[in-house]
């Protein structure tokens, strides 16, 4: 049994559930992409639940957890990251045309361009990753990971909470690095999942602050 890793998975699940509750308990994020974001996060919750059981000693779940982890990393994470800016901007898109024009001039990048880019990138990367999974293209892993990081940089353009977003990016980048630590595999995987939990907690804070009235980044 790997008790530390199981604990790390449980912390990750708690962090994800808090995020899911945050984005669904307010009417500010009235967008179909909120549903896509929620489904992606719930899929990661399911994956982490199988992981917690696996590392608690249920060896029959190893192959299922490995498959779920692959889908979470290559599909769910892509939907998650590129849904973030669309969901965040959903309140702006629900305003009337005059208000939207007034708000648009305060953005460092047009919300229309952000949404179009996020949607296009999501579709393209999902298609690319599906092909990579089907044909087992190992070289595609790095490109997929870079695309996710770029997605977070896009998200950082529209929020005042840049420190939280950058912190979340750092936590995410450190996730694979944690497996190279010269410590026990149990502790290494615990750190792996705690970093993921920290990532989702930081992004959740961005949305929580948004609901309190701290809205979008403006041109300095």
């Amino acid at each position: 049994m790997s008790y530390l890793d199981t604990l790390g998975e449980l912390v990750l699940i708690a962090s994800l559930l808090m995020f899911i509750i945050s984005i669904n308990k307010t009417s500010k994020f009235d967008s179909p992409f909120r549903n896509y974001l929620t489904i992606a996060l719930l899929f990661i919750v399911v994956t982490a639940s199988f992981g917690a059981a696996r590392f608690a000693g249920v060896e029959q779940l190893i192959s299922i957890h490995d498959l779920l982890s692959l889908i979470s990393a290559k599909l769910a994470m892509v939907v998650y990251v590129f849904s973030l800016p669309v969901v965040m901007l959903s309140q702006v898109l629900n305003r009337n045309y005059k208000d939207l024009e007034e708000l648009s001039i305060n953005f460092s990048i047009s919300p229309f361009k952000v949404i179009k880019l996020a949607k296009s990138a999501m579709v393209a990367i999902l298609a690319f990753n599906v092909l990579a999974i089907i044909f087992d293209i190992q070289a595609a892993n790095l490109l997929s990971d870079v695309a996710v990081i770029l997605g977070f940089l896009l998200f950082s353009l529209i929020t005042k909470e840049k420190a939280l977003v950058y912190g979340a990016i750092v936590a995410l980048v450190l996730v694979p690095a944690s497996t190279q630590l010269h410590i026990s595999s149990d502790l290494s995987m615990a750190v792996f999942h705690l970093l993921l939990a920290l990532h989702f907690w930081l992004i959740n804070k961005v949305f929580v602050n948004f609901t309190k009235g701290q809205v979008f980044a403006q041109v300095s």
Side-chain angles (χ1 to χ4, degrees):
M1 294 186 184
S2 304
Y3 295 108
L4 291 177
D5 188 37
T6 298
L7 178 60
E9 293 274 24
L10 293 176
V11 173
L12 173 58
I13 292 170
S15 180
L16 286 162
L17 291 177
M18 286 191 294
F19 190 8
I20 291 169
I21 291 171
S22 294
I23 61 177
N24 284 282
K25 71 178 182 180
T26 175
S27 61
K28 284 194 172 185
F29 308 123
D30 185 18
S31 165
F33 276 79
R34 175 171 63 175
N35 298 328
Y36 305 153
L37 175 57
T38 299
I39 292 171
L41 294 173
L42 284 173
F43 190 90
I44 300 173
V45 168
V46 171
T47 301
S49 299
F50 273 83
R54 168 187 179 172
F55 293 113
V58 186
E59 296 183 357
Q60 296 89 337
L61 298 178
I62 291 178
S63 59
I64 297 175
H65 178 242
D66 285 343
L67 176 60
L68 292 176
S69 296
L70 176 64
I71 296 173
S72 289
K74 301 307 177 186
L75 303 182
M77 282 296 291
V78 173
V79 174
Y80 156 64
V81 65
F82 289 105
S83 291
L84 291 176
V86 181
V87 173
M88 183 68 84
L89 289 169
S90 59
Q91 188 188 37
V92 178
L93 297 182
N94 289 332
R95 293 173 179 266
N96 63 51
Y97 183 78
K98 181 179 178 181
D99 287 341
L100 180 57
E101 286 299 301
E102 291 172 352
L103 285 169
S104 295
I105 63 173
N106 290 325
F107 293 146
S108 56
I109 181 172
S110 165
F112 293 113
K113 291 181 180 179
V114 171
I115 291 172
K116 183 177 180 180
L117 180 57
K119 290 180 177 180
S120 299
M122 179 192 295
V123 172
I125 297 169
L126 283 176
F128 176 80
N129 282 350
V130 168
L131 291 175
I133 292 173
I134 293 174
F135 296 103
D136 193 24
I137 306 174
Q138 297 299 322
N141 292 337
L142 179 59
L143 181 59
S144 177
D145 293 341
V146 170
V148 168
I149 298 302
L150 292 177
F152 281 111
L153 292 176
L154 176 66
F155 179 57
S156 72
L157 293 177
I158 65 166
T159 176
K160 290 180 179 178
E161 306 292 347
K162 297 188 186 303
L164 291 176
V165 177
Y166 294 152
I169 293 174
V170 171
L172 192 62
V173 169
L174 290 176
V175 167
S178 66
T179 61
Q180 305 303 315
L181 296 174
H182 297 293
I183 53 179
S184 68
S185 59
D186 186 18
L187 181 57
S188 174
M189 291 305 295
V191 172
F192 179 101
H193 291 105
L194 289 175
L195 284 170
L196 268 180
L198 175 61
H199 164 82
F200 288 112
W201 181 81
L202 290 170
I203 296 297
N204 181 33
K205 286 289 291 181
V206 175
F207 279 80
V208 169
N209 289 342
F210 172 83
T211 61
K212 294 179 179 178
Q214 301 178 33
V215 193
F216 302 110
Q218 295 181 343
V219 179
S220 58

